[in-house]
Amino acid sequence: MRVDRTIEVAPSPSPPWAGPPGISFSPALVERLLEEFSEPGDVVLDPFVGFGTTMVVADRLGRRGVGVELLDERVEHVRGLVARPADVHRADARDLATLGLPRADASLSSPPYMTRTGHPEDPLDGYRSHFAGGDGYERHLADLVAVYEAVATQLVPGGPVLIDVATLRVDGEVTDLAGDLARAIDGRGGPLALEEAIEVAGEEPPSWMVADVVLVCRASASARG
Ligand SMILES: C[S@@+](CC[C@H](N)C(=O)[O-])C[C@H]1O[C@@H](n2cnc3c(N)ncnc32)[C@H](O)[C@@H]1O
Protein backbone atom coordinates (compact mmCIF):
# COMPACT_ATOMS: atom_id res chain seq x y z
CA MET A 1 0.00 0.00 0.00
CA ARG A 2 1.04 3.64 -0.43
CA VAL A 3 2.65 5.11 2.67
CA ASP A 4 3.05 8.84 3.41
CA ARG A 5 5.98 8.64 5.83
CA THR A 6 8.09 6.21 7.82
CA ILE A 7 8.88 6.27 11.52
CA GLU A 8 11.81 4.43 13.08
CA VAL A 9 11.21 2.60 16.33
CA ALA A 10 14.25 1.20 18.11
CA PRO A 11 14.03 -2.58 18.61
CA SER A 12 13.08 -3.39 22.19
CA PRO A 13 12.59 -6.64 24.09
CA SER A 14 9.06 -7.92 24.44
CA PRO A 15 7.55 -6.36 27.60
CA PRO A 16 6.81 -8.63 30.57
CA TRP A 17 3.04 -8.29 30.14
CA ALA A 18 3.02 -9.24 26.42
CA GLY A 19 1.39 -12.35 25.07
CA PRO A 20 2.73 -14.75 22.43
CA PRO A 21 5.24 -13.19 19.97
CA GLY A 22 3.71 -11.09 17.21
CA ILE A 23 0.49 -10.11 19.01
CA SER A 24 1.41 -7.19 21.26
CA PHE A 25 2.52 -3.72 20.31
CA SER A 26 6.06 -2.66 20.98
CA PRO A 27 5.88 -0.22 23.92
CA ALA A 28 8.32 2.04 22.04
CA LEU A 29 5.84 2.35 19.15
CA VAL A 30 2.95 3.13 21.50
CA GLU A 31 5.07 5.73 23.28
CA ARG A 32 6.06 7.32 19.97
CA LEU A 33 2.46 7.51 18.74
CA LEU A 34 0.92 8.73 22.02
CA GLU A 35 3.60 11.43 22.30
CA GLU A 36 2.76 12.67 18.80
CA PHE A 37 -1.02 12.27 18.80
CA SER A 38 -2.12 12.92 22.42
CA GLU A 39 -1.46 15.17 25.42
CA PRO A 40 -1.02 14.46 29.13
CA GLY A 41 -4.46 14.10 30.72
CA ASP A 42 -6.07 12.82 27.51
CA VAL A 43 -8.36 9.79 27.45
CA VAL A 44 -7.00 7.17 25.01
CA LEU A 45 -9.39 4.46 23.81
CA ASP A 46 -8.25 0.99 22.69
CA PRO A 47 -11.14 -1.14 21.34
CA PHE A 48 -8.88 -4.24 21.09
CA VAL A 49 -6.89 -4.20 24.37
CA GLY A 50 -5.16 -7.58 24.02
CA PHE A 51 -2.40 -7.76 26.64
CA GLY A 52 -2.72 -4.07 27.45
CA THR A 53 0.21 -2.21 25.90
CA THR A 54 -1.79 0.89 24.98
CA MET A 55 -3.27 1.13 28.47
CA VAL A 56 0.00 0.47 30.33
CA VAL A 57 1.95 3.02 28.28
CA ALA A 58 -0.93 5.51 28.54
CA ASP A 59 -0.64 5.28 32.35
CA ARG A 60 3.11 5.85 32.17
CA LEU A 61 2.66 8.93 29.98
CA GLY A 62 -0.02 10.48 32.19
CA ARG A 63 -2.93 9.66 29.88
CA ARG A 64 -6.05 7.70 30.91
CA GLY A 65 -6.36 4.46 28.99
CA VAL A 66 -9.85 3.07 28.41
CA GLY A 67 -10.18 -0.26 26.68
CA VAL A 68 -12.42 -3.07 25.44
CA GLU A 69 -11.39 -6.72 25.23
CA LEU A 70 -13.41 -9.81 24.37
CA LEU A 71 -11.47 -12.52 26.22
CA ASP A 72 -11.96 -12.86 30.00
CA GLU A 73 -8.40 -13.96 30.76
CA ARG A 74 -6.93 -10.95 28.92
CA VAL A 75 -9.29 -8.58 30.69
CA GLU A 76 -8.20 -9.96 34.09
CA HIS A 77 -4.54 -9.81 33.04
CA VAL A 78 -4.76 -6.13 32.02
CA ARG A 79 -6.85 -5.15 35.05
CA GLY A 80 -3.88 -6.32 37.12
CA LEU A 81 -1.52 -4.00 35.22
CA VAL A 82 -3.25 -0.64 35.03
CA ALA A 83 -3.97 2.23 37.39
CA ARG A 84 -7.75 2.12 36.76
CA PRO A 85 -8.87 -1.51 36.40
CA ALA A 86 -12.51 -0.48 35.90
CA ASP A 87 -11.46 1.17 32.63
CA VAL A 88 -10.81 -2.29 31.13
CA HIS A 89 -14.21 -3.36 29.77
CA ARG A 90 -14.95 -7.01 29.07
CA ALA A 91 -17.10 -6.60 25.95
CA ASP A 92 -17.37 -7.04 22.21
CA ALA A 93 -15.98 -4.02 20.37
CA ARG A 94 -18.87 -4.36 17.91
CA ASP A 95 -21.10 -3.19 20.81
CA LEU A 96 -18.86 -0.22 21.63
CA ALA A 97 -21.58 2.39 21.16
CA THR A 98 -23.71 0.76 23.89
CA LEU A 99 -21.02 0.57 26.60
CA GLY A 100 -21.32 4.05 28.05
CA LEU A 101 -17.60 4.75 27.63
CA PRO A 102 -16.22 8.21 28.44
CA ARG A 103 -15.57 10.62 25.63
CA ALA A 104 -12.01 10.05 24.39
CA ASP A 105 -9.39 12.35 22.89
CA ALA A 106 -7.57 9.73 20.84
CA SER A 107 -7.63 6.03 20.00
CA LEU A 108 -4.79 3.59 19.40
CA SER A 109 -5.26 -0.10 18.70
CA SER A 110 -4.35 -3.08 16.62
CA PRO A 111 -7.28 -5.24 15.45
CA PRO A 112 -7.20 -9.03 15.15
CA TYR A 113 -5.85 -10.05 11.75
CA MET A 114 -6.96 -12.55 9.13
CA THR A 115 -5.75 -13.68 5.71
CA ARG A 116 -7.78 -13.14 2.53
CA THR A 117 -8.27 -16.87 1.93
CA GLY A 118 -8.08 -20.08 3.94
CA HIS A 119 -9.36 -18.42 7.09
CA PRO A 120 -12.90 -19.53 7.99
CA GLU A 121 -12.72 -18.41 11.65
CA ASP A 122 -14.11 -15.00 12.59
CA PRO A 123 -11.33 -12.96 14.27
CA LEU A 124 -13.88 -10.69 15.97
CA ASP A 125 -15.34 -13.68 17.75
CA GLY A 126 -11.97 -14.71 19.18
CA TYR A 127 -11.63 -17.13 16.20
CA ARG A 128 -14.32 -19.32 17.89
CA SER A 129 -17.00 -19.26 15.16
CA HIS A 130 -16.85 -19.66 11.39
CA PHE A 131 -18.08 -17.22 8.76
CA ALA A 132 -21.14 -18.38 6.88
CA GLY A 133 -20.37 -18.76 3.15
CA GLY A 134 -17.07 -17.77 1.58
CA ASP A 135 -17.00 -14.03 2.15
CA GLY A 136 -15.21 -13.88 5.48
CA TYR A 137 -12.48 -11.41 4.51
CA GLU A 138 -14.84 -8.76 3.13
CA ARG A 139 -17.08 -9.29 6.14
CA HIS A 140 -14.12 -8.81 8.48
CA LEU A 141 -13.18 -5.55 6.75
CA ALA A 142 -16.76 -4.30 7.03
CA ASP A 143 -16.89 -5.26 10.73
CA LEU A 144 -13.61 -3.43 11.40
CA VAL A 145 -14.85 -0.30 9.63
CA ALA A 146 -18.02 -0.41 11.75
CA VAL A 147 -15.96 -0.74 14.97
CA TYR A 148 -13.68 2.14 14.02
CA GLU A 149 -16.61 4.33 13.00
CA ALA A 150 -18.09 3.66 16.46
CA VAL A 151 -14.70 4.59 17.96
CA ALA A 152 -14.82 7.87 16.01
CA THR A 153 -18.20 8.69 17.51
CA GLN A 154 -16.64 8.32 21.00
CA LEU A 155 -13.93 10.86 20.20
CA VAL A 156 -13.74 14.62 20.34
CA PRO A 157 -14.06 16.16 16.86
CA GLY A 158 -10.79 15.78 14.99
CA GLY A 159 -9.48 13.21 17.47
CA PRO A 160 -6.99 10.76 15.94
CA VAL A 161 -7.96 7.12 15.45
CA LEU A 162 -4.66 5.24 15.02
CA ILE A 163 -4.94 1.71 13.63
CA ASP A 164 -1.81 -0.45 13.58
CA VAL A 165 -2.31 -3.09 10.91
CA ALA A 166 -0.07 -5.19 8.71
CA THR A 167 0.46 -6.60 5.27
CA LEU A 168 0.75 -10.35 5.85
CA ARG A 169 2.41 -13.22 4.01
CA VAL A 170 1.15 -16.63 5.07
CA ASP A 171 1.90 -19.82 3.10
CA GLY A 172 3.22 -17.66 0.26
CA GLU A 173 0.01 -15.63 -0.09
CA VAL A 174 0.12 -11.90 0.56
CA THR A 175 -2.87 -10.25 2.26
CA ASP A 176 -2.67 -6.47 2.18
CA LEU A 177 -4.89 -6.04 5.23
CA ALA A 178 -3.45 -2.56 5.83
CA GLY A 179 -4.21 -1.38 2.28
CA ASP A 180 -7.60 -3.10 2.14
CA LEU A 181 -8.68 -1.57 5.46
CA ALA A 182 -7.43 1.85 4.33
CA ARG A 183 -9.48 1.55 1.13
CA ALA A 184 -12.54 0.35 3.08
CA ILE A 185 -12.34 3.40 5.37
CA ASP A 186 -11.39 5.97 2.76
CA GLY A 187 -14.02 8.05 1.05
CA ARG A 188 -17.05 6.64 2.89
CA GLY A 189 -17.97 10.11 4.07
CA GLY A 190 -18.83 8.68 7.49
CA PRO A 191 -17.54 9.65 10.94
CA LEU A 192 -13.98 8.53 10.08
CA ALA A 193 -11.61 10.05 7.55
CA LEU A 194 -8.25 8.58 6.54
CA GLU A 195 -5.47 11.17 6.87
CA GLU A 196 -2.20 9.33 6.30
CA ALA A 197 -0.46 5.96 6.42
CA ILE A 198 2.76 5.64 8.41
CA GLU A 199 5.11 2.71 7.89
CA VAL A 200 6.85 1.48 11.04
CA ALA A 201 10.51 0.57 10.54
CA GLY A 202 13.38 -0.39 12.79
CA GLU A 203 11.91 -3.42 14.50
CA GLU A 204 12.54 -7.04 13.57
CA PRO A 205 9.15 -8.09 12.10
CA PRO A 206 7.71 -11.56 12.62
CA SER A 207 8.26 -13.86 9.61
CA TRP A 208 4.63 -13.45 8.45
CA MET A 209 4.71 -9.65 8.40
CA VAL A 210 5.60 -7.87 5.14
CA ALA A 211 4.90 -4.36 6.43
CA ASP A 212 3.68 -2.75 9.63
CA VAL A 213 1.50 0.29 8.94
CA VAL A 214 -0.31 2.76 11.18
CA LEU A 215 -3.42 4.22 9.55
CA VAL A 216 -4.03 7.71 10.92
CA CYS A 217 -7.72 8.56 10.70
CA ARG A 218 -9.67 11.47 12.19
CA ALA A 219 -13.08 11.61 13.77
CA SER A 220 -15.05 14.02 11.66
CA ALA A 221 -16.48 17.13 13.31
CA SER A 222 -20.01 15.74 13.06
CA ALA A 223 -19.11 12.29 14.42
CA ARG A 224 -21.10 12.66 17.66
CA GLY A 225 -24.07 14.24 15.96
C1 LIG B 1 -3.84 -7.88 17.94
S1 LIG B 1 -4.53 -8.13 19.53
C2 LIG B 1 -4.17 -6.59 20.33
C3 LIG B 1 -2.83 -6.61 21.00
C4 LIG B 1 -2.56 -5.36 21.82
N1 LIG B 1 -2.35 -4.19 20.96
C5 LIG B 1 -1.36 -5.54 22.73
O1 LIG B 1 -0.42 -4.75 22.69
O2 LIG B 1 -1.36 -6.53 23.48
C6 LIG B 1 -6.24 -8.00 19.24
C7 LIG B 1 -7.11 -8.26 20.46
O3 LIG B 1 -8.47 -8.03 20.12
C8 LIG B 1 -9.27 -8.92 20.86
N2 LIG B 1 -10.57 -9.03 20.19
C9 LIG B 1 -10.91 -9.80 19.13
N3 LIG B 1 -12.18 -9.61 18.80
C10 LIG B 1 -12.67 -8.68 19.65
C11 LIG B 1 -13.94 -8.06 19.81
N4 LIG B 1 -14.95 -8.39 19.01
N5 LIG B 1 -14.08 -7.14 20.78
C12 LIG B 1 -13.05 -6.81 21.60
N6 LIG B 1 -11.83 -7.39 21.52
C13 LIG B 1 -11.65 -8.31 20.55
C14 LIG B 1 -8.49 -10.21 20.84
O4 LIG B 1 -8.90 -11.07 21.90
C15 LIG B 1 -7.06 -9.69 21.00
O5 LIG B 1 -6.69 -9.70 22.36
Side-chain angles (χ1 to χ4, degrees):
M1 75 166 294
R2 184 180 66 86
V3 295
D4 300 291
R5 62 180 162 123
T6 301
I7 57 173
E8 289 277 335
V9 175
S12 56
S14 185
W17 63 81
I23 294 187
S24 289
F25 279 138
S26 120
L29 174 63
V30 174
E31 217 173 287
R32 171 78 172 71
L33 293 170
L34 291 187
E35 297 263 356
E36 177 173 346
F37 289 98
S38 70
E39 303 287 334
D42 278 0
V43 174
V44 178
L45 173 61
D46 183 345
F48 299 111
V49 163
F51 295 88
T53 316
T54 299
M55 296 189 72
V56 171
V57 175
D59 273 354
R60 285 185 187 166
L61 296 180
R63 280 71 167 162
R64 174 184 170 193
V66 172
V68 178
E69 168 59 45
L70 189 65
L71 302 182
D72 291 327
E73 63 278 14
R74 296 188 185 178
V75 170
E76 290 312 315
H77 172 75
V78 181
R79 284 184 178 154
L81 296 170
V82 296
R84 301 171 61 127
D87 279 340
V88 189
H89 297 260
R90 190 263 175 248
D92 188 324
R94 290 170 290 190
D95 299 328
L96 196 110
T98 67
L99 302 178
L101 301 177
R103 189 170 213 195
D105 301 286
S107 172
L108 170 58
S109 65
S110 181
Y113 296 168
M114 74 177 288
T115 51
R116 173 174 283 285
T117 61
H119 196 301
E121 306 90 0
D122 184 350
L124 288 180
D125 190 31
Y127 303 103
R128 292 172 302 199
S129 66
H130 284 197
F131 290 108
D135 61 351
Y137 185 71
E138 295 304 322
R139 178 63 203 269
H140 184 52
L141 290 174
D143 284 348
L144 290 180
V145 171
V147 168
Y148 284 113
E149 289 191 343
V151 166
T153 65
Q154 277 306 129
L155 258 57
V156 296
V161 179
L162 311 175
I163 309 170
D164 182 38
V165 67
T167 301
L168 322 170
R169 187 188 295 109
V170 176
D171 296 334
E173 187 195 58
V174 172
T175 298
D176 185 11
L177 183 57
D180 293 337
L181 184 59
R183 282 183 283 277
I185 290 171
D186 202 21
R188 277 171 57 83
L192 195 61
L194 180 65
E195 186 174 88
E196 60 170 342
I198 303 174
E199 179 154 20
V200 181
E203 299 184 294
E204 183 61 37
S207 57
W208 48 264
M209 190 184 284
V210 179
D212 182 7
V213 176
V214 177
L215 303 178
V216 179
C217 307
R218 295 274 172 186
S220 70
S222 58
R224 280 178 76 90

